[in-house]
Amino acid sequence: MKQVKYVFFFIGLLLLVGCSAQSTTTDDDVLLVQSQTDKQDSFGEFIEITNEKTVQKVKNIVHNIRLRLDHSEIIKQVRMIRLPDFKFHFKQSSEDIYYVCISPKGKKVELIFDGKYVQLDNDTSAELFNGLTGKNLSDVDPTKIGKESPPPLR
């Protein structure tokens, strides 16, 4: 009888430890991305990205850009010649919306938020684009930018 109690105790302990070790996704860990459609000023359905590494990578990029711009007195005012290719926000802060345009040559992305504009360097552009779409920026055909819908998400 004592052995049965110990068996149930250890099974219960294993279940408790196993359940507590599972990660739960919170709104902080969710990235919502939309791509531009063929219709004028219209975005498609949201794609939810919940992969922790991907969300953290995008958060770090955005955080570093914000820090750089907050300490800079030069903010470019830009008049966009076409609509953004993507827009995204983190689920917990839906009022902070980021717009992404692929540069005409397809090598960089431009990020627009809070009335600010920044063109990212090649490496950061590639990282952000991959985090948002799951695809490589180098695979984008520059001759089709602005003429058709951007690459599909994930």
Side-chain angles (χ1 to χ4, degrees):
M1 186 68 177
K2 252 185 175 182
Q3 290 176 340
V4 173
K5 285 183 183 178
Y6 285 121
V7 169
F8 283 117
F9 173 75
F10 284 116
I11 289 173
L13 187 61
L14 286 173
L15 287 173
L16 181 66
V17 170
C19 290
S20 66
Q22 290 179 346
S23 68
T24 57
T25 303
T26 65
D27 285 352
D28 290 346
D29 303 325
V30 177
L31 179 63
L32 299 172
V33 184
Q34 289 179 290
S35 65
Q36 184 70 246
T37 65
D38 291 334
K39 297 177 183 173
Q40 180 79 6
D41 199 20
S42 176
F43 288 89
E45 290 186 30
F46 279 108
I47 302 296
E48 273 195 11
I49 299 171
T50 57
N51 178 286
E52 261 183 73
K53 285 183 179 181
T54 302
V55 173
Q56 192 57 51
K57 178 171 57 171
V58 173
K59 274 186 179 181
N60 290 343
I61 290 170
V62 168
H63 176 74
N64 290 337
I65 291 168
R66 282 186 168 277
L67 280 177
R68 239 182 32 225
L69 286 178
D70 287 346
H71 292 54
S72 171
E73 293 181 19
I74 302 171
I75 298 173
K76 296 179 180 179
Q77 293 296 325
V78 178
R79 183 170 171 214
M80 302 303 293
I81 58 171
R82 62 184 177 84
L83 297 170
D85 297 301
F86 302 97
K87 71 177 180 179
F88 71 93
H89 69 271
F90 300 98
K91 196 170 189 176
Q92 86 280 5
S93 60
S94 59
E95 67 276 354
D96 292 333
I97 298 175
Y98 300 88
Y99 295 92
V100 179
C101 287
I102 302 169
S103 67
K105 294 183 181 179
K107 303 262 188 248
K108 297 179 181 182
V109 298
E110 299 151 358
L111 193 62
I112 301 99
F113 62 96
D114 295 343
K116 299 174 184 173
Y117 164 90
V118 63
Q119 187 176 56
L120 308 181
D121 61 55
N122 289 358
D123 293 336
T124 307
S125 293
E127 275 187 77
L128 181 63
F129 187 80
N130 181 265
L132 297 175
T133 66
K135 299 185 180 358
N136 295 322
L137 183 59
S138 59
D139 294 339
V140 173
D141 182 353
T143 62
K144 296 181 180 177
I145 295 172
K147 296 177 181 146
E148 60 182 48
S149 294
L153 298 171
R154 305 212 169 255

